Amino acid sequence: MKRKIIIGSRGSDLALWQANHVLKQVKQLGLTAEIKIITTQGDAIQNLSFDKLEGKGFFTKEIEEALLKKEIDLAVHSHKDLPTTSPAGLIIAAVSEREDPADIILIRKECTDTKLKLSLKKNAVVGTSSARRKSQLLAFRNDVKIEDLRGNVPTRIQKLRDKKYDAIMLAAAGVERLKIDVREFTVIHLDPKEFIPAPAQGVLGLQIRENDHELLEHVGKLNAQKVKDCIDIERKVLNLFDGGCQLPLGVYCTNTNNTFKVWTSKATAWNTLPKRIYSESSSKEGLAEKIAAALKNNTTANVLITRDLKEDSYFKNVLEGNNYKVAGISFIETKKVDFKTTPKTDWVFFSSSNGVRYFFEQHPQLDAKTKFGVIGKATEQELKKFDKKAAFSGYNTDTKVVGKQFAKLVNDQTVLFPQAKQSLKTIQQQFNDNKQLVELVVYETIKKENVIVGDAEIVVFTSPSNVESFFDKFKINAAQKVIAIGKSTEKKLKEYGINNCILPESLGELGLAEAVFGIS
């Protein structure tokens, strides 16, 4: 190919990094190329949040117009900024490999409180102009104050340094690509399966003219097909809502062993609580349509969950925010069991937040080198309240899987298990050598008397002991849907003849909320 290829790009540091990244790849294909900077509406207007800008494609429109006018030959976009329908005459010739798709929170050290969710201090001021980030952040922490934040990545970080915000939210890929040193801040890397990114976040889209067959033959070699299969689903969901990047919608898809797994979060507005859906399929055909239909379904239900819910409960807040009625009633209560001495150990493993609380409230004497393991987000968060950090965290709903992972990690080191008197000891059973294990009873569960429950279409069981206590007094009728928090709870339900209960994809209130939304 003899002609020089002109690559169009925005002028921000990140956009130019992306353009130069593609320029290098294009040159490796044997082509001659150079970059041309184009200013877009999104670059020119910095005083408005995204939801106040008119139309879609305000980071891409001017670049696409230059492509159609043949002022450039190849446009490099952050794929998440592209409208889901290309203008007539343009096509996406290739998509890049996916960088880290996650969002991050940068928090000024003095505004950090690791005892609270997301490590943000109470009533923190958080900067972001993304409706998607706003809606999900408020679902986790409804006390925070959100203020709009515009500008390129270095500009946003400088505003944080200047103390205009307590924290800001950014795409991890942007910080990583620019190699910005953010060690002066507390960095919270958000799991994209929990805090769901924008469709195609972390992916570059390479756009050309549809009739430029010669360039397509070359650029097509850069296409990452497996990534394309995933973001096709993500962007199709976006398309079905006729949305752009100002829509409070997050979609994240993975493809492992030919199974597509998709996490979706959608709110009606930035300041409303999102509805979450988890879906999986061996085929991408029709999957986006299925997800969109579930999100558009406004059916609600009365939900009973077998635990006492706090005011900041994610499960309670997102369901009630979507017009569900939620009753949180634990059918058991816990009572501290005193212990006098703390056995010497390399590790302490907690299988519940109660275990954490009753252990540390008795001021155990531990070696400074002692490491901690937990199962579940709630247990991990409870550990943080005592200024401890988990060196191992297991999130699988099958505690046997977590036990095997933990046993492999600790090898022949000693492990202390602060636990309930009636513990099932599932984690311990995955060890080959019980000599290295020490069990310490720190609490016991007691069945509650005189519990009153109302009607519920969906019943969520959060522990085997709650199952036992529930069935002492109540029954499940054929019309009720049942959710079990994990495999151990599912096993206990089967003992009472409940063989069709639903397991969430992940442990914790977030996974339980997804399960409720998915079946109602």
Side-chain angles (χ1 to χ4, degrees):
M1 191 171 184
K2 294 182 179 179
R3 81 178 199 262
K4 179 187 289 186
I5 303 304
I6 307 300
I7 299 174
S9 170
R10 296 167 57 206
S12 71
D13 291 346
L14 180 57
L16 288 175
W17 182 97
Q18 294 170 171
N20 278 292
H21 177 72
V22 173
L23 174 65
K24 182 178 179 181
Q25 291 180 312
V26 167
K27 287 183 176 180
Q28 288 174 344
L29 294 174
L31 305 181
T32 303
E34 64 180 38
I35 295 171
K36 180 178 181 179
I37 296 174
I38 298 170
T39 301
T40 67
Q41 178 193 17
D43 297 311
I45 303 174
Q46 291 288 320
N47 62 327
L48 294 177
S49 62
F50 294 145
D51 58 338
K52 294 181 177 64
L53 290 171
E54 293 294 330
K56 305 172 190 173
F58 39 82
F59 284 124
T60 60
K61 183 180 178 182
E62 290 79 5
I63 297 175
E64 290 178 323
E65 288 175 348
L67 196 52
L68 288 167
K69 292 176 183 178
K70 298 187 177 181
E71 295 172 358
I72 61 173
D73 302 295
L74 170 63
V76 179
H77 303 284
S78 288
H79 212 322
K80 68 181 179 66
D81 294 336
L82 279 167
T84 54
T85 302
S86 288
L90 300 183
I91 60 169
I92 301 299
V95 303
S96 71
E97 294 290 349
R98 193 167 209 166
E99 293 285 339
D100 188 343
D103 287 320
I104 59 172
I105 306 176
L106 300 183
I107 312 172
R108 291 180 13 236
K109 290 286 178 67
E110 64 269 29
C111 301
T112 301
D113 187 343
T114 57
K115 296 179 182 180
L116 299 179
K117 291 179 183 177
L118 306 179
S119 295
L120 293 163
K121 74 173 187 179
K122 188 74 173 175
N123 302 317
V125 177
V126 181
T128 177
S129 288
S130 162
R132 171 188 60 82
R133 289 174 181 148
K134 290 176 181 179
S135 68
Q136 292 189 68
L137 178 59
L138 289 173
F140 285 102
R141 289 286 305 272
N142 60 11
D143 62 296
V144 302
K145 181 181 179 182
I146 299 176
E147 294 188 357
D148 286 323
L149 171 66
R150 294 290 310 279
N152 59 36
V153 174
T155 298
R156 296 183 199 189
I157 293 175
Q158 187 57 50
K159 289 179 179 179
L160 181 61
R161 290 192 179 105
D162 294 340
K163 300 185 178 181
K164 294 181 179 180
Y165 307 89
D166 297 322
I168 62 173
M169 300 192 72
L170 299 166
V175 176
E176 291 167 6
R177 285 167 175 163
L178 293 175
K179 300 189 185 308
I180 299 175
D181 187 350
V182 291
R183 287 177 295 178
E184 66 196 274
F185 307 113
T186 300
V187 182
I188 305 300
H189 187 277
L190 301 168
D191 186 338
K193 298 172 185 177
E194 297 180 358
F195 202 103
I196 304 173
Q201 185 159 303
V203 179
L204 303 181
L206 281 56
Q207 192 177 41
I208 66 171
R209 289 181 292 277
E210 189 174 21
N211 60 5
D212 195 343
H213 303 295
E214 187 180 23
L215 184 56
L216 175 60
E217 184 179 344
H218 291 279
V219 176
K221 297 174 183 177
L222 301 176
N223 187 51
Q225 187 60 45
K226 191 171 182 179
V227 173
K228 184 178 184 301
D229 289 340
C230 287
I231 68 169
D232 279 350
I233 296 171
E234 296 173 9
R235 286 173 56 78
K236 181 62 177 178
V237 175
L238 180 63
N239 175 263
L240 290 169
F241 284 98
D242 192 31
C245 59
Q246 72 273 32
L247 189 72
L249 172 72
V251 192
Y252 177 59
C253 176
T254 65
N255 182 2
T256 306
N257 299 324
N258 296 317
T259 297
F260 292 98
K261 297 184 176 183
V262 189
W263 293 262
T264 311
S265 169
K266 183 185 179 298
T268 55
W270 73 265
N271 57 352
T272 62
L273 295 175
K275 186 175 184 178
R276 295 182 59 104
I277 298 292
Y278 169 76
S279 300
E280 64 178 62
S281 174
S282 59
S283 171
K284 70 177 188 177
E285 296 304 319
L287 183 52
E289 288 80 0
K290 175 184 174 183
I291 293 167
L295 290 169
K296 291 176 181 178
N297 180 7
N298 292 321
T299 302
T300 62
N302 292 341
V303 181
L304 169 65
I305 182 170
T306 64
R307 66 168 51 156
D308 298 324
L309 297 177
K310 298 178 181 178
E311 283 303 308
D312 65 348
S313 163
Y314 181 95
F315 181 86
K316 177 178 182 289
N317 291 338
V318 295
L319 288 175
E320 290 185 343
N322 284 277
N323 300 315
Y324 287 71
K325 292 183 179 179
V326 180
I329 304 172
S330 177
F331 291 78
I332 60 171
E333 54 189 359
T334 58
K335 179 182 177 182
K336 181 180 70 172
V337 174
D338 292 324
F339 61 88
K340 295 181 179 179
T341 59
T342 309
K344 185 175 176 58
T345 184
D346 299 305
W347 285 83
V348 182
F349 187 91
F350 298 100
S351 56
S352 71
S353 54
N354 281 326
V356 175
R357 180 162 56 90
Y358 286 118
F359 179 69
F360 282 108
E361 283 181 352
Q362 299 191 54
H363 308 290
Q365 300 299 309
L366 296 172
D367 188 278
K369 295 181 180 179
T370 302
K371 295 184 286 264
F372 301 97
V374 299
I375 183 167
K377 290 286 184 180
T379 309
E380 185 175 42
Q381 186 62 41
E382 189 70 24
L383 187 64
K384 289 180 180 179
K385 293 179 181 179
F386 293 92
D387 294 318
K388 305 297 181 182
K389 185 176 180 180
F392 170 87
S393 300
Y395 305 129
N396 197 296
T397 55
D398 189 342
T399 51
K400 289 183 179 180
V401 172
V402 175
K404 291 181 187 301
Q405 293 170 342
F406 182 61
K408 183 177 180 181
L409 173 66
V410 303
N411 198 7
D412 59 353
Q413 294 176 292
T414 56
V415 185
L416 175 65
F417 290 88
Q419 61 191 32
K421 189 175 182 180
Q422 306 87 345
S423 173
L424 295 176
K425 304 179 183 180
T426 309
I427 301 297
Q428 295 96 305
Q429 291 169 11
Q430 310 315 310
F431 283 74
N432 294 322
D433 183 7
N434 291 330
K435 293 179 181 178
Q436 69 193 93
L437 310 182
V438 181
E439 294 172 352
L440 181 66
V441 174
V442 296
Y443 72 101
E444 61 179 320
T445 58
I446 304 167
K447 294 178 182 179
K448 281 186 179 178
E449 301 295 333
N450 303 319
V451 178
I452 300 174
V453 300
D455 294 332
E457 289 85 23
I458 300 172
V459 183
V460 182
F461 288 97
T462 57
S463 69
S465 53
N466 262 297
V467 173
E468 288 184 345
S469 187
F470 176 91
F471 280 95
D472 271 357
K473 301 178 180 64
F474 305 101
K475 295 181 179 179
I476 294 293
N477 64 54
Q480 288 177 305
K481 305 287 181 62
V482 176
I483 296 171
I485 194 170
K487 289 284 188 180
S488 296
T489 305
E490 178 189 43
K491 181 180 178 182
K492 182 60 67 173
L493 281 163
K494 287 181 178 179
E495 293 178 15
Y496 291 90
I498 308 301
N499 297 310
N500 57 347
C501 65
I502 296 160
L503 281 174
E505 194 279 331
S506 62
L507 285 173
E509 290 196 352
L510 192 151
L512 292 174
E514 289 176 342
V516 171
F517 284 131
I519 64 175
S520 55

